[in-house]
Amino acid sequence: MKRFKVFVTRKILEEGLNMLRERYDVEVSDYDGVIPREMLLKKVKGVDALLSLLTDNIDAEVMDAAGPNLKIIANYAVGYNNIDVEEATKRGVMVTNTPGVLTETTADFAWTLLMAIARRVVEADRFVREGKFRGWEPMLLLGTDVHGATLGIVGFGRIGQAMARRALGFNMRVLYYDNSKVDEQIEKELKATFVDLPTLLKESDFVTLHVPLTKQTYHLIGEKELKMMKKGAYLINTARGPVVDEKALVKALKEGWIKGAALDVFENEPEIEPELLKLDNVVLAPHIASASYATRSKMSVMVAENIIKALSGEVPPNLVNPEVLQKKK
């Protein structure tokens, strides 16, 4: 009996890969980095399942290269803006993601960035390593208090709400903006107040972004929005890079429209706006918000389970295009 073929665009933790290897013929890209386009088009030929990463652009060309056997594109990420879902649906191809499992880990890291930029941790570390520390000084590296401040959360889904829970421990006032209000009971539990985006930007000491990348959220934070923020405010982004206009952010940081920013994602990853690298009032991380061993292991299992269900003729648990099921009837 013919075994299904699965191609994995980059090495992930073994827990999920072993589940797939027990059942299918699995090839994992051995390329060190994001798989080049031409290599991807060659490797997907004839596969039944494609395990992709958010760094892979999975469009009609890739689906053409894969051919008619392709049944599922399983994204190893919560977001799936790297996949042409509409095109996949047209072809009867299921698309899945890995939601929920990385909520707390991502919120942990967003909070880490918030604390790091507020209390100038990266600057302080560099200061010590460069041999500049001469002992306690009353004016040395003064930062901003987090406790009692106002936290503005843009995007109040799982991760946004997890940030609000953390804010409770710091006695923060929490404002949130989303397409719609959440249940009143959730607002009460998290002591969170729904406001429009301009109000959130004008009143928050810290603005943290937790929205998916869509046509509506592209450059959601641009020059106009940055100018609405307090001069003493900070911007934290662990969502998607293009949610922020990076050139406008550089201008804001250099000209003092806001006090600082902490970024785990960038507009043109892995490229970073060169001016950002020169600024002390920004903390930069290499897209590692979900990078704990436990979480990445759970993600590998979840993505494998999605593939196993799909190739078994069942509905995968994290299907993002359920309308595809109508095409299969």
Side-chain angles (χ1 to χ4, degrees), residues 166-218:
R166 284 154 179 76
L168 290 172
F170 284 75
N171 195 31
M172 298 181 85
R173 174 188 178 217
V174 175
L175 305 177
Y176 78 92
Y177 166 75
D178 211 321
N179 291 329
S180 59
K181 293 182 69 174
V182 298
D183 185 82
E184 192 174 316
Q185 185 59 35
I186 295 174
E187 285 189 338
K188 188 175 179 181
E189 287 173 6
L190 299 177
K191 297 182 181 178
T193 303
F194 177 78
V195 293
D196 60 23
L197 184 58
T199 299
L200 182 147
L201 294 172
K202 290 171 185 174
E203 297 189 13
S204 297
D205 301 300
F206 299 90
V207 174
T208 182
L209 307 178
H210 302 285
V211 294
L213 177 59
T214 64
K215 289 179 182 177
Q216 290 71 37
T217 62
Y218 176 79

Side-chain angles (χ1 to χ4, degrees), residues 150-309:
T150 297
L151 177 66
I153 303 173
V154 181
F156 210 56
R158 293 186 184 95
I159 299 171
Q161 290 176 31
M163 285 294 283
R165 283 196 298 275
R166 284 154 179 76
L168 290 172
F170 284 75
N171 195 31
M172 298 181 85
R173 174 188 178 217
V174 175
L175 305 177
Y176 78 92
Y177 166 75
D178 211 321
N179 291 329
S180 59
K181 293 182 69 174
V182 298
D183 185 82
E184 192 174 316
Q185 185 59 35
I186 295 174
E187 285 189 338
K188 188 175 179 181
E189 287 173 6
L190 299 177
K191 297 182 181 178
T193 303
F194 177 78
V195 293
D196 60 23
L197 184 58
T199 299
L200 182 147
L201 294 172
K202 290 171 185 174
E203 297 189 13
S204 297
D205 301 300
F206 299 90
V207 174
T208 182
L209 307 178
H210 302 285
V211 294
L213 177 59
T214 64
K215 289 179 182 177
Q216 290 71 37
T217 62
Y218 176 79
H219 282 189
L220 180 68
I221 305 298
E223 186 168 321
K224 181 179 76 171
E225 291 74 23
L226 289 163
K227 283 183 174 177
M228 289 182 188
M229 293 174 64
K230 295 180 180 180
K231 287 188 179 296
Y234 300 87
L235 179 70
I236 296 95
N237 188 12
T238 55
R240 287 290 184 265
V243 172
V244 176
D245 181 341
E246 220 161 86
K247 290 187 183 298
L249 178 60
V250 167
K251 196 173 180 184
L253 292 167
K254 290 176 78 170
E255 297 183 8
W257 307 351
I258 63 174
K259 196 163 187 179
L263 311 172
D264 184 50
V265 289
F266 305 94
E267 190 167 352
N268 299 297
E269 288 183 24
E271 300 299 320
I272 299 173
E273 186 66 32
E275 289 299 308
L276 281 176
L277 302 173
K278 302 174 185 176
L279 299 173
D280 286 330
N281 59 338
V282 60
V283 172
L284 307 173
H287 206 146
I288 56 170
S290 67
S292 76
Y293 183 89
T295 291
R296 293 282 172 88
S297 176
K298 289 173 188 173
M299 287 172 68
S300 76
V301 170
M302 185 178 286
V303 77
E305 288 173 342
N306 283 328
I307 290 173
I308 291 166
K309 288 287 187 183

Side-chain angles (χ1 to χ4, degrees), residues 46-189:
V47 300
D48 299 280
L50 173 60
L51 195 163
S52 58
L53 275 67
L54 56 87
T55 47
D56 304 314
N57 178 25
I58 310 300
D59 56 11
E61 185 182 29
V62 174
M63 296 177 213
D64 283 339
N69 290 342
L70 184 63
K71 298 170 182 62
I72 178 172
I73 301 165
N75 220 37
Y76 181 79
V78 175
Y80 44 88
N81 54 282
N82 58 304
I83 300 171
D84 188 337
V85 178
E86 185 177 347
E87 183 64 32
T89 303
K90 282 182 193 174
R91 298 169 183 246
V93 176
M94 292 178 276
V95 177
T96 62
N97 66 340
T98 58
V101 67
L102 48 69
T103 297
E104 298 299 332
T105 301
T106 300
D108 277 353
F109 194 74
W111 198 266
T112 300
L113 290 178
L114 186 154
M115 295 292 294
I117 190 63
R119 297 305 304 272
R120 304 175 68 176
V121 174
V122 175
E123 286 180 82
D125 178 85
R126 189 183 307 122
F127 184 85
V128 172
R129 291 176 189 274
E130 290 174 354
K132 296 178 181 178
F133 181 49
R134 298 172 301 176
W136 183 86
E137 297 178 39
M139 302 298 290
L140 179 61
L141 290 164
L142 299 179
T144 300
D145 282 335
V146 174
H147 67 272
T150 297
L151 177 66
I153 303 173
V154 181
F156 210 56
R158 293 186 184 95
I159 299 171
Q161 290 176 31
M163 285 294 283
R165 283 196 298 275
R166 284 154 179 76
L168 290 172
F170 284 75
N171 195 31
M172 298 181 85
R173 174 188 178 217
V174 175
L175 305 177
Y176 78 92
Y177 166 75
D178 211 321
N179 291 329
S180 59
K181 293 182 69 174
V182 298
D183 185 82
E184 192 174 316
Q185 185 59 35
I186 295 174
E187 285 189 338
K188 188 175 179 181
E189 287 173 6

